[in-house]
Amino acid sequence: MFQNKGITYKLILYVLSSIIIIFSIIMAIDFQASREILMRSAQQNASNLALTTEKQIETILRSAQKIPENLAPIIENKHYSETEIKGFLSSFVKNNDEIFGSCLAYEPYSYDPLKYYFAPYYYKDSDSVAYKNLGVENYQYFDWNWYRIPKKINKPYWTEPYFDESGGNIIMSTYSVPFYKQANGMRIFNGIITVDIDLSWLNSLIDSIEIIKNG
């Protein structure tokens, strides 16, 4: 049947077939190019968001770090009363949104020869600031990483995230700074100053990130 058609018909058929093939190739190339552009855009967007988020987190953490770092040399230079220490800690927690809690934990009998434990701790509780003494039989703070590790390595330390049972009772990370005292011409470890970061804000921050529409 095809052989009985005229040359014009055959020519039109060939031309149309060629056009369809060329158009399909162009569409495929255009689709691939568009896909690559979209992927590059998504990757760049994700990279920019990651850097922005990293800076937000670093800003919060650095702000929190300054509190115990600034308090450590102050504590070393004077023996403050229990009332003064509690005033420091409660003020830090109340006036700094980025921190959940703060503790000043001393070595056994170091603050008071009659007290084995001395670790006043203030933390956020709803819209107020609550207090507890971490030095009790069922919470021996000397054995927790936030106290033990910075004492051992002799420098500030961020803990891995953990659930602070009997302390803040939340998932947190703690920044610990050791402080010292002078005795017989020697600088001796005297305790740890901490700030706690409630990690729920980190979850909220990550959840708020969107790449394109729902990435």
Side-chain angles (χ1 to χ4, degrees), residues 27-137:
M27 288 292 292
I29 294 173
D30 183 65
F31 173 79
Q32 183 63 28
S34 298
R35 183 176 182 276
E36 291 178 357
I37 292 172
L38 183 61
M39 288 298 295
R40 285 197 298 267
S41 177
Q43 290 171 352
Q44 186 62 49
N45 188 29
S47 178
N48 292 338
L49 283 172
L51 290 174
T52 300
T53 304
E54 178 185 1
K55 289 180 180 179
Q56 286 181 270
I57 295 172
E58 284 183 354
T59 298
I60 293 172
L61 297 184
R62 286 176 181 173
S63 179
Q65 288 175 191
K66 290 179 181 179
I67 295 172
E69 289 173 353
N70 291 336
L71 182 58
I74 296 174
I75 294 296
E76 291 181 9
N77 291 329
K78 179 182 176 181
H79 185 82
Y80 288 90
S81 69
E82 186 172 341
T83 300
E84 289 174 319
I85 289 174
K86 290 180 176 179
F88 290 152
L89 298 178
S90 61
S91 178
F92 293 152
V93 175
K94 180 179 180 180
N95 297 318
N96 292 275
D97 294 335
E98 67 272 14
I99 70 171
F100 171 80
S102 182
C103 178
L104 185 55
Y106 279 79
E107 282 281 89
Y109 305 114
S110 181
Y111 181 79
D112 185 336
L114 301 178
K115 292 182 179 180
Y116 182 71
Y117 302 109
F118 186 71
Y121 177 59
Y122 281 87
Y123 61 99
K124 288 185 171 69
D125 184 12
S126 297
D127 296 328
S128 62
V129 175
Y131 166 80
K132 67 172 61 175
N133 182 8
L134 294 186
V136 291
E137 286 298 324

Side-chain angles (χ1 to χ4, degrees), residues 2 6-20:
F2 180 77
I7 187 65
T8 303
Y9 177 84
K10 294 179 181 179
L11 184 60
I12 292 173
L13 184 59
Y14 288 139
V15 171
L16 286 176
S17 299
S18 300
I19 291 174
I20 291 172

